[in-house]
Amino acid sequence: MVTARPRTWVRRRSAVFAVLGLGLIAAAAILVPMLRPPGPRPAFQLPVPCGEAWTLGTYPGHDDYDVDLFPTKGEAWGQPVLASASGTVTEAGINGTVGGRTPDNPDGPRGRGGGYWVKIDHGRRWTTLYLHLLEPPLVHEGQRVQPGDQLGRVGSTGDSGAPHLHYEQHRGFEKVETYFNGAPSGITRDDREYSVSLRSNNCRAGASETDQRK
């Protein structure tokens, strides 16, 4: 004689399978997009105001493809940092610790990591990072931004020796050479100290350079 299993046991087993199924669906929803190949490179622009010339540099130990940006004219402290392409903010806060370097105390204690920072997801597995901002970012997680939207101001928070913007472009799981206005920046390996100068084309459509700076 075959003994029928209690209905409660059957219901519990069904519930367990349902939970496992939902878990697998949720995991697939996260992992599948991450495993897809990255899409075409977005139309990245320099993360600084339209028409301005900035120096992009690196040095030994800085890490391949990392870019430090300094204005060619005027002080770096407080200069606007702009989104280099449209996307969604995924991180906006503190990376590591802030430290104590400010315009009034430029030789204050260093922090750790990137200090105040922003990370933007541009879709198709492309992201950009903006580090060492002067103060808490002007944007928040989940916010949609457009090219030229201000993210914060140049500072020297985190592990920074002088005010500058540390910037990176990532394709999927790898960091890659930065491109601006459709052309490679030329900042690649960190085997030596070198720099290039570029002019920003991060301009709102229909606005002159004078209007951009207002």
Side-chain angles (χ1 to χ4, degrees):
M1 182 177 67
V2 177
T3 304
R5 294 185 184 276
R7 290 183 179 179
T8 54
W9 184 90
V10 174
R11 285 198 295 268
R12 287 174 183 170
R13 186 181 67 173
S14 298
V16 169
F17 286 151
V19 170
L20 289 174
L22 290 173
L24 290 173
I25 292 172
I30 295 172
L31 293 175
V32 169
M34 294 175 64
L35 296 175
R36 289 175 180 162
R41 185 189 304 270
F44 292 123
Q45 300 295 336
L46 278 171
V48 297
C50 177
E52 292 188 358
W54 283 60
T55 297
L56 288 65
T58 190
Y59 54 87
H62 191 216
D63 206 1
D64 292 345
Y65 307 122
D66 287 2
V67 176
D68 283 350
L69 290 95
F70 302 85
T72 57
K73 293 182 180 179
E75 283 218 2
W77 289 109
Q79 293 293 327
V81 174
L82 311 181
S84 58
S86 61
T88 301
V89 177
T90 56
E91 301 279 354
I94 299 174
N95 176 295
T97 61
V98 172
R101 297 198 168 197
T102 66
D104 295 327
N105 186 22
D107 296 320
R110 287 195 189 208
R112 299 194 311 273
Y116 290 121
W117 79 309
V118 172
K119 181 179 180 180
I120 299 177
D121 179 358
H122 301 281
R124 299 186 176 184
R125 303 188 64 207
W126 283 91
T127 56
T128 52
L129 280 62
Y130 312 73
L131 283 69
H132 306 312
L133 303 181
L134 177 61
E135 56 217 350
L138 300 176
V139 293
H140 57 81
E141 292 180 21
Q143 181 175 339
R144 184 72 182 172
V145 295
Q146 299 300 322
D149 286 352
Q150 187 169 354
L151 308 176
R153 298 195 294 160
V154 173
S156 192
T157 56
D159 186 10
S160 169
H164 70 285
L165 173 64
H166 177 109
Y167 175 89
E168 301 175 16
Q169 291 178 3
H170 291 242
R171 179 181 60 202
F173 295 112
E174 63 176 345
K175 190 187 309 179
V176 295
E177 181 180 1
T178 54
Y179 272 57
F180 300 110
N181 203 32
S185 67
I187 302 297
T188 55
R189 304 300 178 186
D190 67 340
D191 55 347
R192 58 188 174 86
E193 184 171 352
Y194 62 101
S195 63
V196 299
S197 292
L198 298 176
R199 188 171 297 275
S200 174
N201 197 37
N202 197 343
C203 309
R204 294 192 301 273
S208 67
E209 291 185 11
T210 301
D211 292 334
Q212 295 284 341
R213 296 191 179 98
K214 290 183 179 179

